[in-house]
Amino acid sequence: MLDVTTAGRRVLDELLYLSDPETGTVEISQNEMCAELGSSKPTVNRGFKELYACRLGWTVKDRFYQLHPLLTGGMVSSPVMPVPAIRAAEPERFTEQRWARFTAQSSSYVLGSPADALVTIPRPVLRLLALVDVTTAGRRVLDELLYLHDQETGTVEISQNEMCAELGSSKPTVNRGFKELRECGLTWSLEDGLYQLHPLLTGGKVSSPVMPVPAIRAAEPEGFTARRRSRYAAQTANLDIAG
């Protein structure tokens, strides 16, 4: 619902990957973040700015960033730290339907899944997501699929019209999001209205033990810098999903 751009989401994924599990903090300079992501400094600066604007993360002191406790299991660096409310980046652009959903979701302040179970993504997978580079449309669809997925099979039963209603987005935007996820190998259709998430996102859960699992691919690897291509190759090799 927040609609941070790809720049903001990639920075967030890397901060989650690097965060201290006891405090929810990360010690990293913006130059170091550029090196981690293989991105330019203006892009990384924009990512940090978006996260601050949405209150998903903020500076505690030079080089130290605090992630919102909703992202860290309640962990913060100080028990008396004031915690800001999470805000949408550009709420004035929301449709009426999407604004109503955002208000309902943010006012409850505890974002649980339908199964009341935590959705856990391993740190190395978060780093991979930071490098895959799907657009905001794709990442919003992915987040909703993760929220709705069956904990036993990693599947989601939802039509594209229902996804439009869930996100308050247009059908072309949702179609583009599903297409990106399919091209990257993060999710695919089993049948009309039934989607399978990649087992790296579901703790290994799939709907069939003999299901062929595609390799996760970057959206536009030809646009990668040499440094970023090297990091992406190392990460996919580390997760044994290169292809």
Side-chain angles (χ1 to χ4, degrees):
M1 293 283 181
L2 294 180
D3 233 15
V4 295
T5 68
T6 302
R9 192 57 201 244
R10 290 186 62 219
V11 170
L12 178 60
D13 284 337
E14 189 67 18
L15 291 176
L16 287 166
Y17 169 75
L18 296 170
S19 66
D20 185 315
E22 299 300 319
T23 64
T25 58
V26 184
E27 182 180 4
I28 190 170
S29 69
Q30 293 205 7
N31 286 336
E32 289 168 338
M33 181 64 80
C34 292
E36 290 294 327
L37 296 178
S39 295
S40 67
K41 194 163 186 178
T43 298
V44 167
N45 285 345
R46 183 170 73 251
F48 274 111
K49 183 178 179 181
E50 288 179 2
L51 298 184
Y52 175 74
C54 293
R55 299 300 189 262
L56 293 172
W58 56 91
T59 304
V60 178
K61 59 181 178 180
D62 188 41
R63 290 174 51 88
F64 275 88
Y65 297 90
Q66 175 70 60
L67 288 167
H68 196 285
L70 282 178
L71 302 173
T72 64
M75 298 300 181
V76 290
S77 54
S78 169
V80 295
M81 174 180 289
V83 176
I86 292 177
R87 302 199 301 254
E90 296 182 346
E92 66 279 1
R93 297 177 57 187
F94 280 18
T95 62
E96 182 178 345
Q97 178 188 49
R98 187 172 168 200
W99 179 250
R101 286 190 176 274
F102 176 79
T103 302
Q105 196 71 12
S106 59
S107 62
S108 67
Y109 213 66
V110 178
L111 308 182
S113 74
D116 292 327
L118 292 175
V119 175
T120 304
I121 299 177
R123 287 174 184 257
V125 178
L126 286 169
R127 168 162 279 184
L128 183 66
L129 290 176
L131 295 170
V132 167
D133 225 16
V134 294
T135 68
T136 302
R139 193 52 197 255
R140 289 186 63 219
V141 171
L142 178 60
D143 286 339
E144 190 68 19
L145 292 175
L146 286 167
Y147 170 74
L148 294 170
H149 81 273
D150 185 300
Q151 302 284 323
E152 299 301 318
T153 65
T155 59
V156 185
E157 186 173 357
I158 189 171
S159 70
Q160 293 204 10
N161 285 337
E162 289 168 337
M163 181 64 79
C164 293
E166 287 293 324
L167 297 178
S169 295
S170 68
K171 194 162 186 178
T173 298
V174 167
N175 286 345
R176 184 170 72 251
F178 273 111
K179 181 181 178 183
E180 287 181 3
L181 298 182
R182 183 178 67 253
E183 290 175 347
C184 291
L186 293 170
T187 190
W188 56 93
S189 177
L190 298 176
E191 58 185 68
D192 190 36
L194 183 65
Y195 298 89
Q196 174 71 59
L197 285 164
H198 195 285
L200 282 176
L201 303 173
T202 64
K205 302 294 186 182
V206 289
S207 55
S208 169
V210 295
M211 174 179 293
V213 175
I216 292 180
R217 301 182 298 272
E220 296 184 354
E222 65 278 2
F224 280 17
T225 62
R227 179 173 60 183
R228 187 171 167 201
R229 187 177 295 109
S230 173
R231 286 192 175 274
Y232 181 79
Q235 196 66 18
T236 53
N238 179 50
L239 289 165
D240 194 27
I241 55 170

